[in-house]
Amino acid sequence: MAKTVKDLSLNGKKVLIRVDFNVPIKDGKITNDNRIVAALPTIKHVLAENGKVVLFSHLGRIKTEEDKIKNTLKPVAERLSQLLSKEVKFIPATRGEALESAITGMKEGEVLLVENTRFEKGETKNDPELGKYWASLGEVYINDAFGTAHRSHASNVGISEHLNSAPGFLLEKEIKFIGGTVSNPARPLVAILGGAKVSDKIGVIENLIEKADKILVGGGMMFTFMKALGKDIGKSLVEEDKVELAKELLKKADGKLVLPVDTVAAKEFKNDTDFKTVSVDNISGDEMGLDIGAETIKLFENELEGAKTVVWNGPMGVFEMENFAKGTIGVCEAIASLEGATTIIGGGDSAAAAMELGYADKFTHISTGGGASLEYLEGKVLPGIDCLK
Ligand code: ADP
Ligand code: MG
């Protein structure tokens, strides 16, 4: 991508920035402000260049009027204000006179946050009128929201069509690490896939078979493959309609796919229950596999040895429960001990796992976008990035 934020003239301009402030909020309190912190470099740069910062973001899913009450961005404005140590003016509207006059009255170095973009029905449909209207409020546009880059919405693609645009620093970082990894990785490239959303991720394997040298499969995803191999998987997570695809992938993978040899199995999906490590050939009918076993951790460690690029999406087990977190910790440890490797972890739960388990600083890059990072890894064109070209 040719253009960056640094090529934009920002002095005195009304700079519209699409950020990803889709943070977890419980009882009106932000429980993890990581995404707000991640947006600071771009915001600070615009302020340093004497721009007027107008921020757009979505928060949660809006279907009913009630959803609007719990998904207001007001608490985000307060947190951002603390982080920037300056006033952040929150406008509880997505259009209209109050918003327009607030922006018109802004001075250089001021920050304003517009209410949740998804309060507008046209946002997720990329309604051309909405994108044009929002664009009319500013003079320059920066997209720094990687989490929605795989979607064509009014606040990313729509606005960009009307203004001089560039990716923000966070988006640039994602493009550099994930894009760079996909187009020209240092080898060996080892991909690790796990988690629960099998149907979302199995397509990634198809694409990665061409690109990766090894693909390690753990988490809930492993059992669809076990089933494809004709094994009994008891009550383990499985997506029946992907079993055929799993069979095809096993054939196509030509030994590149590495599957677990053992699993930590339990009769109930909870931490306080009996559990034991069993071979993947010995899962009984009333059990479910909730983590990869110790032998598999060793196997994965060996496969990771000497890797120069590692991309990881999806925890190895139900890491939220202590008794089923060892597989994810084991893989974190193995990655932490690699020398001179580029290591990338992406996905909402995967990033949370790396942080909660204390390994955040062991990765080269923690991607902020779940679905977006996967589609990018698959080699798809992301509309939110493409529109900036
Ligand atoms: P991400 O958010 O990183 O993309 P997913 O949403 O696909 O990852 O999956 C994360 C979830 O997968 C976690 O909540 C974890 O508890 C769950 N998980 C991992 N392994 C298993 C398993 N063996 N059985 C059921 N759930 C699992
Ligand atoms: Mg998830």
Side-chain angles (χ1 to χ4, degrees):
M1 200 162 306
K3 235 182 337 174
T4 78
V5 168
K6 294 195 170 144
D7 301 316
L8 295 172
S9 125
L10 303 168
N11 192 350
K13 298 261 172 66
K14 289 174 277 184
V15 183
L16 309 182
I17 314 178
R18 173 57 158 104
V19 286
D20 181 1
F21 284 166
N22 186 26
V23 291
I25 295 183
K26 217 177 165 187
D27 305 323
K29 287 213 166 63
I30 296 167
T31 55
N32 182 334
D33 66 359
N34 191 40
R35 283 181 164 160
I36 307 175
V37 173
L40 294 176
T42 300
I43 296 172
K44 285 182 176 167
H45 174 78
V46 177
L47 293 174
E49 295 286 308
N50 253 333
K52 306 167 185 175
V53 173
V54 179
L55 299 164
F56 290 85
S57 176
H58 78 285
L59 176 66
R61 285 186 185 171
I62 310 295
K63 292 208 177 87
T64 62
E65 286 302 306
E66 254 169 46
D67 289 340
K68 290 191 177 176
I69 297 166
K70 63 171 198 273
N71 286 305
T72 171
L73 279 171
K74 190 160 190 283
V76 173
E78 285 157 17
R79 184 76 193 108
L80 177 64
S81 168
Q82 288 165 354
L83 289 167
L84 286 171
S85 306
K86 70 162 27 218
E87 192 197 346
V88 173
K89 187 158 197 179
F90 175 68
I91 305 295
T94 45
R95 65 167 74 224
E97 157 60 24
L99 175 64
E100 290 158 23
S101 59
I103 294 176
T104 312
M106 282 176 84
K107 296 191 187 70
E108 284 80 17
E110 288 187 346
V111 181
L112 180 150
L113 175 64
V114 181
E115 183 58 286
N116 189 346
T117 54
R118 291 205 185 154
F119 283 17
E120 291 281 344
K121 282 204 177 69
E123 158 74 331
T124 54
K125 297 187 191 105
N126 189 14
D127 173 359
E129 182 273 329
L130 183 60
K132 192 173 174 193
Y133 169 69
W134 279 339
S136 75
L137 302 173
E139 295 161 283
V140 188
Y141 174 69
I142 296 170
N143 186 12
D144 214 11
F146 183 65
T148 48
H150 59 318
R151 305 272 181 250
S152 185
H153 289 170
S155 64
N156 58 5
V157 175
I159 298 182
S160 77
E161 279 161 9
H162 305 279
L163 293 174
N164 197 11
S165 309
F169 294 126
L170 183 60
L171 194 61
E172 243 190 333
K173 206 168 132 202
E174 300 277 6
I175 292 167
K176 178 175 160 221
F177 281 111
I178 307 184
T181 302
V182 175
S183 56
N184 190 19
R187 292 187 184 275
L189 162 60
V190 180
I192 310 169
L193 287 170
K197 289 178 288 185
V198 181
S199 43
D200 286 7
K201 297 183 182 180
I202 204 157
V204 185
I205 297 190
E206 200 156 16
N207 188 273
L208 283 174
I209 286 175
E210 322 269 317
K211 297 208 164 88
D213 298 295
K214 279 279 154 67
I215 304 169
L216 319 183
V217 177
M221 167 166 295
M222 66 185 265
F223 300 102
T224 300
F225 284 94
M226 293 297 156
K227 181 119 198 202
L229 289 169
K231 295 187 199 299
D232 279 332
I233 54 163
K235 295 191 292 177
S236 305
L237 191 80
V238 66
E239 285 191 29
E240 296 287 351
D241 59 344
K242 297 292 171 193
V243 173
E244 277 311 307
L245 178 57
K247 279 185 195 167
E248 278 169 42
L249 291 176
L250 284 165
K251 249 188 254 157
K252 214 171 141 187
D254 201 18
K256 276 187 184 176
L257 268 180
V258 182
L259 295 174
V261 290
D262 58 357
T263 180
V264 183
K267 291 197 170 74
E268 290 172 282
F269 189 84
K270 60 180 192 188
N271 192 52
D272 289 321
T273 188
D274 290 338
F275 59 91
K276 60 176 195 289
T277 303
V278 296
S279 149
V280 291
D281 294 311
N282 289 324
I283 304 171
S284 51
D286 58 351
E287 286 174 339
M288 60 189 107
L290 296 177
D291 196 7
I292 55 172
E295 287 300 316
T296 305
I297 297 175
K298 259 189 247 159
L299 173 69
F300 284 6
E301 273 169 10
N302 285 337
E303 296 292 351
L304 280 164
E305 225 178 272
K308 285 289 173 263
T309 308
V310 180
V311 292
W312 181 6
N313 185 292
M316 293 293 99
V318 185
F319 74 94
E320 299 93 335
M321 303 180 193
E322 204 190 336
N323 290 333
F324 309 107
K326 290 196 189 72
T328 306
I329 294 173
V331 171
C332 281
E333 286 284 344
I335 290 175
S337 70
L338 292 176
E339 276 169 32
T342 300
T343 58
I344 299 172
I345 185 164
D349 292 295
S350 309
M355 287 181 220
E356 278 160 33
L357 300 172
Y359 291 89
D361 60 341
K362 304 292 181 198
F363 290 86
T364 314
H365 181 55
I366 298 185
S367 177
T368 48
S373 67
L374 273 174
E375 292 197 14
Y376 210 18
L377 278 176
E378 272 184 77
K380 287 187 183 161
V381 172
L382 305 192
I385 293 176
D386 204 46
C387 70
L388 304 170
K389 284 180 183 155

